[in-house]
Amino acid sequence: MPARDLHYLELVEVGQRIRKRDLSAVEVTQAQLDRIAGLDCQLKSYAHVMGSSALEQAHAADKEIADGKVRGPLHGVPIAVKDLCWTKDAPTAAGMKIYRDNRPSEDATVVTRFKEAGAVILGKLQMTEGAYADHHPDIDPPRNPWDAMLWSGASSSGSGVATAAGLCYGSLGSDTGGSIRFPSAANSVTGLKPTWGRVSRYGVFELAATLDHVGPMARSAVDCGAILGAIAGADPKDPTAVLEPVPDYLANLNGSLRGTRIGVDPRWTSEGVDAASTKVLQDALRIAVDLGADIHEIVFPDPTAMIADWFPLCGVETAVAHEATYPSRRSEYGPGLAGLIELGLQQSGTDYQKIVLRREAFRGLVRELFEKIDLLAVPAQTFAAPSIDKMATLGENPDLITGLLRFSCPFDMTGSPTITLPGGFTESGGPVAFQFVGRHFDEARLVAAGDAFQRVTDWHRRHPSL
């Protein structure tokens, strides 16, 4: 295979070729490290490259596979993790100036599980400060590989850029208000936000404990399923990780949506939504019908209060997470994260309790909705492929913030799983995506639906010219 094609293979295919010994893990890893060295000086997706340990892991994978010990679909495949996952082999800065020299004494559970699956960890991916909205002023943000003038997403920006640019075969991101979904949409990759509690958060730097979700970003739904299968499950180190067994997300993928009930709220998903996002969702629904799905017109519970409540709730939880360093080291924080913490510190106990009660009521309404449907189809955002300049005005434009969060943070408030799928491009060439939302712990259905869509479309196989 020509070297120029190797970096854009899907993760599962690379794993199969390594297991067949058509490719070696060392060969693939070295090719990835060479590509990172050649391109990432412009793209800025990596906070720290772990070249030596990656090659050691690749050599170990090749030896195990040669000896007949195969660990699964990730064995020998180079991946990367967002720089809020603890790694004892490398610093974990979480996009923060305070932690630039922080070396954890152990790996995050998700990193441990990657190693147990035989994956090769290429490095730590750049992110916004503390996983909130903005990069720290001292950090050069990752560049969108499709167009350097387009937003690369937040906060898993490095994960989206590296995966899209062929600098890893898959990555981990985290999502508190949309940060698996925004960079997946912005960079035209597939992102899977699992149900809250499906993946352990132990050793993952906290933004907001009851909102944080850790999940995969990759080239395809199948690749996301392979990654989720490796990292999901109960963890004695994280009592909030659920005990429910982890299914085989790659089983029973038949390319059909026959009998799947997909709910759509025509008003909510169209009013105030731009033409490109509307077209992508409509096209996706037509394809779903062709694949056998039944479309049900529904009315989604009004999420207005959830979008407004997300900020103070996130602020309170972030203030708790940063108690050891804020306000004592306030001068080392950027304005965005500091502002969120200050908002949290301003909330009273009764303010917080009212938010908790509204959130629980909303969760109940959404749970009831999923008694009638299997999946919910929504845009990724109300506006597609925003420019960096447009997103720079976010703090001054409440309508822009609401449009960004409209189809994302309600599903962090409910803890619902979602899959973000590339679905087209704007007239100027910017990526556009849509989402399927599922009932709790029904990620297998999301993977199957994403796979069915991607078998008959090629949006996820289009790559930026670099």
Side-chain angles (χ1 to χ4, degrees):
M1 167 166 291
R4 67 179 181 275
D5 297 327
L6 180 61
H7 49 266
Y8 281 139
L9 290 180
E10 289 168 34
L11 179 152
V12 167
E13 182 180 353
V14 172
Q16 289 170 343
R17 293 189 181 198
I18 290 171
R19 291 194 299 279
K20 290 178 185 174
R21 301 176 72 187
D22 295 339
L23 294 168
S24 75
V26 170
E27 171 190 1
V28 175
T29 300
Q30 188 61 62
Q32 288 282 274
L33 291 171
D34 291 346
R35 186 168 172 83
I36 292 166
L39 289 175
D40 208 49
C41 52
Q42 285 86 36
L43 294 174
K44 311 289 185 183
S45 64
Y46 277 82
H48 187 84
V49 179
M50 299 161 63
S52 297
S53 61
L55 287 169
E56 288 174 11
Q57 292 165 0
H59 279 288
D62 282 336
K63 184 177 186 308
E64 285 189 336
I65 291 167
D67 291 343
K69 181 180 180 180
V70 176
R71 294 174 179 257
L74 271 61
H75 202 174
V77 181
I79 52 83
V81 300
K82 187 174 179 176
D83 193 32
L84 45 55
C85 302
W86 293 356
T87 42
K88 61 185 177 183
D89 301 330
T92 301
M96 297 185 66
K97 184 178 179 181
I98 290 174
Y99 295 113
R100 61 185 177 275
D101 299 319
N102 174 45
R103 278 190 174 265
S105 60
E106 60 181 318
D107 289 330
T109 295
V110 289
V111 173
T112 298
R113 288 180 176 169
F114 267 151
K115 290 180 178 179
E116 291 169 348
V120 173
I121 301 175
L122 293 168
K124 312 295 291 295
L125 295 165
Q126 193 57 269
M127 55 180 284
T128 57
E129 184 183 18
Y132 187 48
D134 302 316
H135 293 87
H136 189 280
D138 292 350
I139 287 176
D140 202 1
R143 309 284 198 275
N144 191 312
W146 293 93
D147 182 339
M149 301 309 293
L150 294 180
W151 189 49
S152 60
S155 66
S156 309
S157 50
S159 301
V161 170
T163 305
L167 306 185
C168 60
Y169 290 101
S171 59
L172 287 187
S174 68
D175 194 307
T176 306
S179 294
I180 286 174
R181 289 162 289 169
F182 298 151
S184 293
N187 296 284
S188 198
V189 300
T190 302
L192 179 57
K193 181 184 82 73
T195 310
W196 190 87
R198 177 76 285 184
V199 175
S200 170
R201 293 177 294 112
Y202 181 78
V204 177
F205 190 92
E206 197 171 284
L207 175 59
T210 72
L211 295 166
D212 292 347
H213 303 64
V214 181
M217 298 167 65
R219 306 249 159 77
S220 69
V222 171
D223 288 356
C224 283
I227 295 174
L228 184 61
I231 63 173
D235 178 15
K237 294 181 177 180
D238 177 5
T240 69
V242 296
L243 301 176
E244 194 164 320
V246 179
D248 179 355
Y249 297 109
L250 304 189
N252 306 314
L253 300 179
N254 59 18
S256 173
L257 289 177
R258 188 160 306 283
T260 302
R261 299 169 299 171
I262 298 178
V264 182
D265 183 330
R267 180 176 177 182
W268 184 48
T269 58
S270 63
E271 286 186 358
V273 178
D274 71 11
S277 299
T278 298
K279 181 179 185 304
V280 161
L281 183 63
Q282 290 174 343
D283 288 349
L285 290 171
R286 279 195 289 270
I287 290 167
V289 170
D290 290 343
L291 292 168
D294 299 318
I295 306 301
H296 292 248
E297 189 170 310
I298 55 96
V299 177
F300 189 73
D302 184 358
T304 304
M306 289 303 96
I307 296 169
D309 283 347
W310 183 89
F311 288 97
L313 175 62
C314 188
V316 169
E317 296 191 3
T318 305
V320 172
H322 289 261
E323 201 170 19
T325 54
Y326 194 97
S328 60
R329 300 178 69 176
R330 166 70 180 83
S331 64
E332 297 171 82
Y333 279 69
L337 184 57
L340 177 67
I341 294 172
E342 290 291 345
L343 175 65
L345 293 172
Q346 292 165 14
Q347 305 305 309
S348 69
T350 52
D351 292 335
Y352 176 77
Q353 180 61 12
K354 288 174 183 176
I355 291 170
V356 169
L357 294 175
R358 286 192 292 267
R359 182 186 187 187
E360 286 304 310
F362 183 72
R363 284 165 62 96
L365 292 172
V366 173
R367 185 168 55 246
E368 183 182 5
L369 175 66
F370 275 97
E371 294 295 314
K372 304 168 188 171
I373 60 173
D374 302 307
L375 298 172
L376 176 70
V378 296
Q381 297 150 205
T382 61
F383 47 84
S387 68
I388 294 171
D389 289 344
K390 179 176 182 176
M391 297 307 289
T393 68
L394 199 64
E396 307 147 24
N397 189 339
D399 291 340
L400 192 62
I401 293 172
T402 300
L404 179 67
L405 296 179
R406 181 159 151 192
F407 302 114
S408 62
C409 79
F411 302 112
D412 289 301
M413 296 291 267
T414 63
S416 304
T418 77
I419 193 165
T420 302
L421 299 165
F425 293 87
T426 64
E427 290 183 2
S428 58
V432 189
F434 71 98
Q435 299 178 79
F436 285 133
V437 184
R439 61 174 65 93
H440 282 208
F441 305 107
D442 201 9
E443 290 88 358
R445 190 186 299 271
L446 291 173
V447 171
D451 173 55
F453 177 79
Q454 290 179 335
R455 288 189 191 201
V456 296
T457 61
D458 70 348
W459 303 114
H460 65 296
R461 291 198 173 100
R462 301 192 188 190
H463 307 294
S465 299
L466 294 168

